[in-house]
Amino acid sequence: MPTRRTVMKAGGAVLLPAAAYATSALAAALPNERGPKPVRAEAPEPFTVRMPIPPTLKPVARTSTTDYYTMTARRASAQILHGAATEVYGYNGQFPGPTIRATAGRRVVIAQTNQLDMDTAVHLHGGHTPPASDGFPLDVIAPGATRIYEYPNRQQATTLWYHDHAHHMESEHVYRGLHGFYLIEDPAEAALGLPAGEYDVPIMLRDARFDEDGSLHFEAEDFQKRTTILTNGRTQPYFPVAARRYRFRLLNGANLRSFVLRLGAGEEVAQIGTDGGLLGAPVPTREIKLSPGERADVVLDFTGRPAGTQVILADDNAGPVLRFDVGGPAYDASRVPAVLRPLPPLGEPDVVRTFHLGIDPQDFTFKINGKAFDPNRVDTTIRRGDTEVWEVTNADTFTIPHNFHLHLVQFRVLSRNGRPPAPAEAGWKDTVPLQPGETVRLQATFAGPAGRYVYHCHLIDHSSHAMMATMEIVD
Ligand code: C2O
Ligand code: CU
Ligand code: CU
């Protein structure tokens, strides 16, 4: 049976009131308005939609030290599926939100207005941010209100993202679209000659579950049912590339899903960066693993491939997520130097702590060190400037993966299950995966401003409930 939409398409774009159809020949084809909605929203055929690139937001003002922006979180209608629009929550109504391009050392100030009918809070993931601007779960923006967020950007070039962090609500808010890229650039990185400008492309991967009418279905923990993968907000898009090098900043923006990505038939790609910026040297790899919140910066080289070549980026579980369609050759002065940004030596730690992430067998909630999140309790007190080693264990030894994310700092992975980290994990990180039973040792120096922050599992359906804790940096 044709849907109302297909009927309207066939009959032209004019929308008539239902009464007008009553006597028309089309009446029989129309669904009963009182019956269940017959719309069937479906993903477009694979590789028929071009991957969008979230537009870069323009500052509303610039001074010698600061770029000023405004953003509004609101409901919006996104064209994701065929057959129906999808209601999302979007920064400026965009899905994903607009990209901020910041410069290290230049301040960014964002006036965030909340036009949703519920509290929001904006967190810059990976940012070395003063506490009042970090999106602490209780520091919310009430409906209709505006809050000013200040980002000093006193950190090296890297790929960050901003997303909602309102107490208990962040998992649903992020799921519905409150997420976007925030890139920091610096002169040292620019001098390396990596692919830049239109050849430097952020890609957010995430999953979603859609109802038949095209609406986003949110149910905490229903990971198995979130079977549609969105690549910059679209299903299985294609992306035209020239036969040259590209830099892609991959972000896992999913609530629970991890990705294991491969290019073509398992081609080698160069990973150049992680959560906190460039690696010491490019790491050749055939698979890119991303747990929720992690970023991988890669250079893909299409040089020498004939026009018409198609190369698929696929996830081990979900299948193809993107197809690169190679066009003609293009002038390419970019390079991938053998040395990117040497990592500084690790200092001696002042403090060593242990953390256990796991499900409480008493009440089946996810906890850290046996405690459920309480924003009014300080779990870890840290002296400003101290270097600490955190030994973090996923105590759920059977099937439940977690990961671990620290606000305010990037850390280094000292070991994973007693062994040295893989080369790509040896760079600056702020989020690390923890398979059941795994232990990682992390080292961080808490140089940032004093105040209260959180750390948590970034499978945010877990953290939204209880798998989160607070740390206070004290002078
Ligand atoms: Cu992506 Cu608390 O963060
Ligand atoms: Cu964060
Ligand atoms: Cu978890």
Side-chain angles (χ1 to χ4, degrees):
M1 195 181 91
T3 64
R4 181 183 184 140
R5 228 159 256 275
T6 55
V7 167
M8 286 188 338
K9 214 189 268 168
V14 187
L15 178 59
L16 299 170
Y21 285 112
T23 53
S24 79
L26 287 173
L30 281 176
N32 182 343
E33 287 293 313
R34 271 164 299 215
K37 275 215 167 153
V39 184
R40 267 190 305 18
E42 272 163 7
E45 288 296 309
F47 318 124
T48 55
V49 172
R50 182 185 172 123
M51 181 183 77
I53 301 173
T56 301
L57 193 62
K58 293 205 171 41
V60 292
R62 285 173 65 91
T63 66
S64 58
T65 59
T66 307
D67 298 333
Y68 294 88
Y69 294 89
T70 59
M71 245 193 247
T72 301
R74 58 177 175 86
R75 284 172 203 269
S77 168
Q79 203 59 56
I80 302 169
L81 305 175
H82 280 167
T86 299
E87 188 190 85
V88 296
Y89 302 164
Y91 292 107
N92 289 354
Q94 291 168 226
F95 181 87
T99 298
I100 302 266
R101 281 190 182 258
T103 306
R106 266 186 78 75
R107 212 162 61 111
V108 163
V109 175
I110 307 179
Q112 284 279 4
T113 299
N114 175 12
Q115 274 180 10
L116 294 166
D117 48 8
M118 57 201 106
D119 289 349
T120 58
V122 185
H123 169 57
L124 177 59
H125 179 127
H128 301 183
T129 306
S133 292
D134 196 51
F136 190 82
L138 295 187
D139 290 344
V140 293
I141 317 172
T146 297
R147 186 182 175 104
I148 307 293
Y149 289 86
E150 297 191 20
Y151 305 112
N153 300 314
R154 271 185 233 112
Q155 60 190 105
Q156 63 184 35
T158 188
T159 302
L160 307 181
W161 62 304
Y162 60 96
H163 62 76
D164 188 75
H165 222 300
H167 193 32
H168 290 317
M169 291 305 296
E170 70 268 32
S171 59
E172 179 164 0
H173 286 175
V174 173
Y175 183 84
R176 295 197 181 281
L178 293 182
H179 46 33
F181 279 98
Y182 184 110
L183 314 179
I184 301 181
E185 294 160 352
D186 68 21
E189 183 181 282
L192 294 175
L194 295 163
E198 63 177 302
Y199 306 109
D200 170 4
V201 179
I203 300 178
M204 180 191 295
L205 296 169
R206 54 160 292 178
D207 57 7
R209 171 184 177 185
F210 290 96
D211 285 332
E212 286 222 318
D213 65 359
S215 55
L216 268 175
H217 188 116
F218 179 77
E219 204 177 305
E221 295 296 330
D222 73 343
F223 162 73
Q224 308 285 351
K225 294 181 177 160
R226 298 175 191 169
T227 51
T228 303
I229 309 299
L230 301 177
T231 305
N232 279 350
R234 301 304 308 255
T235 60
Q236 297 183 307
Y238 69 91
F239 186 65
V241 292
R244 53 156 290 158
R245 270 183 225 95
Y246 280 77
R247 175 180 187 175
F248 292 105
R249 302 165 184 259
L250 300 166
L251 156 68
N252 182 350
N255 283 29
L256 295 169
R257 177 185 292 270
S258 287
F259 291 95
V260 181
L261 302 168
R262 289 173 211 281
L263 185 70
E267 294 180 28
E268 194 172 274
V269 305
Q271 183 168 350
I272 57 166
T274 51
D275 305 339
L278 293 173
L279 288 158
V283 172
T285 180
R286 291 178 198 281
E287 58 172 29
I288 302 149
K289 294 186 185 175
L290 288 172
S291 74
E294 289 188 288
R295 286 85 73 206
D297 208 329
V298 297
V299 172
L300 306 190
D301 194 352
F302 301 104
T303 307
R305 299 190 205 220
T309 307
Q310 299 173 335
V311 192
I312 284 177
L313 185 70
D315 172 65
D316 278 3
N317 296 304
V321 299
L322 173 61
R323 191 180 75 192
F324 298 104
D325 292 1
V326 182
Y331 175 70
D332 188 1
S334 74
R335 40 189 220 117
V336 182
V339 176
L340 295 168
R341 180 164 287 182
L343 295 158
L346 289 156
E348 281 300 308
D350 302 291
V351 180
V352 178
R353 306 178 195 268
T354 55
F355 298 88
H356 286 82
L357 277 59
I359 200 163
D360 184 335
Q362 307 292 314
D363 58 10
F364 297 102
T365 56
F366 293 114
K367 294 181 176 170
I368 297 180
N369 285 351
K371 290 183 190 151
F373 180 50
D374 177 352
N376 296 308
R377 180 187 70 220
V378 176
D379 295 294
T380 301
T381 304
I382 298 165
R383 268 187 319 165
R384 183 146 102 112
D386 269 5
T387 294
E388 301 205 352
V389 168
W390 289 22
E391 189 173 297
V392 189
T393 297
N394 177 353
D396 285 324
T397 47
F398 296 108
T399 54
I400 306 170
H402 298 293
N403 72 8
F404 193 72
H405 168 54
L406 254 169
H407 283 215
L408 181 64
V409 292
Q410 266 84 31
F411 50 74
R412 302 270 293 279
V413 179
L414 302 179
S415 66
R416 175 174 287 282
N417 305 323
R419 286 190 290 276
E425 196 167 62
W428 290 107
K429 297 284 296 165
D430 54 45
T431 309
V432 277
L434 286 164
Q435 293 308 314
E438 284 196 313
T439 295
V440 292
R441 282 170 66 88
L442 319 171
Q443 178 161 322
T445 298
F446 294 85
R452 196 177 291 193
Y453 297 89
V454 293
Y455 51 90
H456 55 89
C457 175
H458 215 290
L459 279 68
I460 51 179
D461 291 19
H462 301 176
S463 56
S464 244
H465 291 100
M467 199 169 248
M468 175 144 60
T470 65
M471 59 182 183
E472 184 160 18
I473 318 295
V474 297
D475 273 314

